[in-house]
Each structure stands twice: as C-alpha cells, then as structure tokens.
Amino acid sequence: MRIVVVSAGLSSPSSTRLLADRLTAATLEHVAAETEVIELRELATEIAQHFVTGFPPARLAAALDAVAAADGLIAVTPVFAGSYSGLFKSFFDLIDKDSLTGKPVLLGATGGTARHSLVTEHALRPLFTYLRALVLPTAVYAASEDWGEEGLAQRIARAGAELARFTTPAAVPGQGTAPDLDTAAAIAPRSLTGAITSVDPADGFVTVPFEQRLAALRVP
C-alpha cells in the first residue's frame, strides 16, 4: 500500500508541511504503508513549463504518476485569498481527469486565522469531488493559534484513522482481502440511515427518539 502526500507550502520549514507530516503519522498509526511526499514548491517551475509547452518535465511527470498510482492521498495547502493556493490548484489542474476516481483523499489546509476554517469545505472539497475522488468526511484546518491545542490533535487523529480505514481493502467472506479500492465504499463508516460518518461502527450507535429530545426541551 502506498500513500502519497502533496504539500503546497512555500517556505521551509512550513506549517503546511508540518500538518501534512502530522496527518501522515496519524494514518500510519493504523495501517502499514509506504509514503512519498511531493513538495510543490520544488516543482513550481516545471508546473509552469507544462502549462506553456503541454509536456511535463521528468520530475513533474514522476509526481503526477505517483499521485495516479497511490492507494490514498493526503493533500494540504496554505490559504491564499480565502481559498487554496495557485500552486496547489495548478498542480491538480495537470492531473489526468480519471486519476483520482474513487481514490481516498484526506484534505488539509493551514492559515493565519480561524476565519478561513471552512476553506476545506467551500474550496477543497468541491475541487476533489469534481475529480471524482473519495473525499474523506473529516478535513483538517489548522490556524496559527491551533498548534499545540488538543482540538487540532484530535482532528488529526480522527482524520488519519479515516484514511487508514478507507485505504484498507474490505475482507470478502471466504475470499480473504479484496484486491482493490472499489470496495472502499463497503468499509466506509455509516450511520443507521446510511450516511457516511466519522464514527467507527465498532463503537456502536446510540439513537435518541425525536420525541424524547423534544421532551427534554420542555419547560417544567
């Protein structure tokens, strides 16, 4: 199994790469996998050349091939003008339209303020949904003040566990382990209504009747 990490951080070191590394570590706590990190800032010139010439230089071609061949993807970008960075978008503009179909993708973003915390939902998630990727329920945004806080650590741990769960092929009764990622939907954690959830089914589900919830709100 191979997990590819795409980091669009522009500095070294960068909080974007730090978040990418933390998400990778959280995933590897639950699944054994090889990992490869792609630093987009090192490919900025090659990405621009590809747009002009129509042909990817060798390093960029290798990066695009690695993403296409990955069993799972972690994609992390800094926030610029309320959205993903231009470098991040440019790289995924070059991805073959079918490369991410059905591929589990864990999204992450970093920014200087919590005001951008929904960037993963209004910008990143639609992009990867358009590419027909299997976008995981939990995306992680880290503002400057989040580092060192328990809440960020918990979100990272939950997201890593989800990626591990979605990239682990489901067991087929009498046949052992399924050989490909087409079974990802079968192992996706789901609520009693069938909706995808970040709750592990092994933990069980507790449902409270709506009438009981309303009764709890009544004034004595």
Side-chain angles (χ1 to χ4, degrees):
M1 183 178 298
R2 189 172 187 81
I3 294 174
V4 171
V5 184
V6 176
S7 171
L10 297 180
S11 60
S12 180
S14 73
S15 59
T16 301
R17 176 60 188 271
L18 177 59
L19 178 58
D21 289 344
R22 295 279 181 87
L23 291 170
T24 302
T27 302
L28 295 180
E29 289 184 3
H30 302 278
V31 64
E34 296 181 2
T35 60
E36 178 179 350
V37 179
I38 298 172
E39 285 276 11
L40 295 187
R41 67 186 183 86
E42 298 176 356
L43 298 173
T45 301
E46 285 92 336
I47 291 173
Q49 289 175 347
H50 190 353
F51 276 109
V52 174
T53 65
F55 297 97
R59 287 202 308 168
L60 177 58
L64 295 172
D65 289 343
V67 170
D71 296 299
L73 180 66
I74 297 174
V76 188
T77 179
V79 175
F80 284 89
S83 187
Y84 36 65
S85 71
L87 180 61
F88 183 86
K89 180 61 162 59
S90 295
F91 178 76
F92 284 100
D93 280 345
L94 300 177
I95 293 285
D96 182 86
K97 63 181 180 64
D98 297 320
S99 292
L100 298 185
T101 300
K103 193 184 302 295
V105 177
L106 170 54
L107 302 177
T110 58
T113 172
R115 290 186 302 158
H116 298 304
S117 59
L118 290 179
V119 68
T120 56
E121 308 307 315
H122 71 68
L124 287 170
R125 194 175 295 275
L127 170 63
F128 286 92
T129 298
Y130 173 79
L131 294 171
R132 298 192 295 278
L134 182 63
V135 186
L136 300 187
T138 299
V140 180
Y141 174 80
S144 297
E145 63 265 27
D146 289 332
W147 295 102
E149 296 295 327
E150 183 178 354
L152 177 60
Q154 291 175 343
R155 295 196 300 275
I156 290 173
R158 182 169 64 244
E162 286 178 0
L163 181 58
R165 191 181 308 138
F166 276 70
T167 54
T168 303
V172 178
Q175 301 180 29
T177 302
D180 55 50
L181 288 175
D182 290 339
T183 57
I187 63 171
R190 295 179 180 272
S191 69
L192 295 179
T193 63
I196 291 179
T197 174
S198 61
V199 178
D200 192 330
D203 295 334
F205 295 95
V206 177
T207 59
V208 179
F210 185 60
E211 295 82 359
Q212 184 176 336
R213 291 181 181 274
L214 286 179
L217 297 176
R218 292 173 185 165
V219 179

